[in-house]
Amino acid sequence: MAVEVFAGIQAHSLALLSDAGHNFTDALALLLAWFGFYLEARPANEIKTYGYHRAGVLSAFVNALTLLVLSAWIFYESALRLSRPRAVHEGIMMAVPRWDWF
């Protein structure tokens, strides 16, 4: 992911940057799901009589917000690039390995 961000900035490639963001949100979703599951497994106590069952909903909400922010940034950046096109360095793009292809 870090290689894609670095190469995307160097190559002026929105495709590499958006793929790095996609990989980041996938990793974040897994981490949030694990954390939500961990909190949901905690037993109820006298203060939290329902327990921690809302943790899963909150972790899904944070994941959805992250995806919305990333999508809004990609849309904004693509609108800017349509109004002021920039040359993309295809050599750098082709040199970046795509691990999700394997």
Side-chain angles (χ1 to χ4, degrees):
M1 182 177 68
V3 170
E4 280 186 330
V5 170
F6 180 74
I9 291 170
Q10 293 298 317
H12 306 289
S13 171
L14 190 56
L16 283 176
L17 291 173
S18 63
D19 189 53
H22 170 254
N23 291 336
F24 172 74
T25 57
D26 283 349
L28 181 67
L30 288 172
L31 182 67
L32 286 171
W34 172 81
F35 186 65
F37 183 74
Y38 168 76
L39 287 178
E40 285 179 347
R42 297 177 70 182
N45 56 29
E46 60 275 351
I47 295 172
K48 299 200 180 343
T49 57
Y50 186 65
Y52 292 86
H53 291 288
R54 291 188 186 105
V57 174
L58 288 174
S59 64
F61 178 71
V62 169
N63 184 37
L65 277 179
T66 306
L67 288 171
L68 284 174
V69 167
L70 179 65
S71 298
W73 176 78
I74 291 171
F75 181 76
Y76 172 76
E77 190 67 28
S78 64
L80 284 179
R81 289 178 186 218
L82 279 174
S83 65
R84 285 179 273 135
R86 296 164 60 179
V88 177
H89 304 290
E90 65 275 354
I92 297 173
M93 284 184 64
M94 296 302 288
V96 175
R98 294 284 312 267
W99 301 110
D100 54 347
W101 287 354
F102 298 110

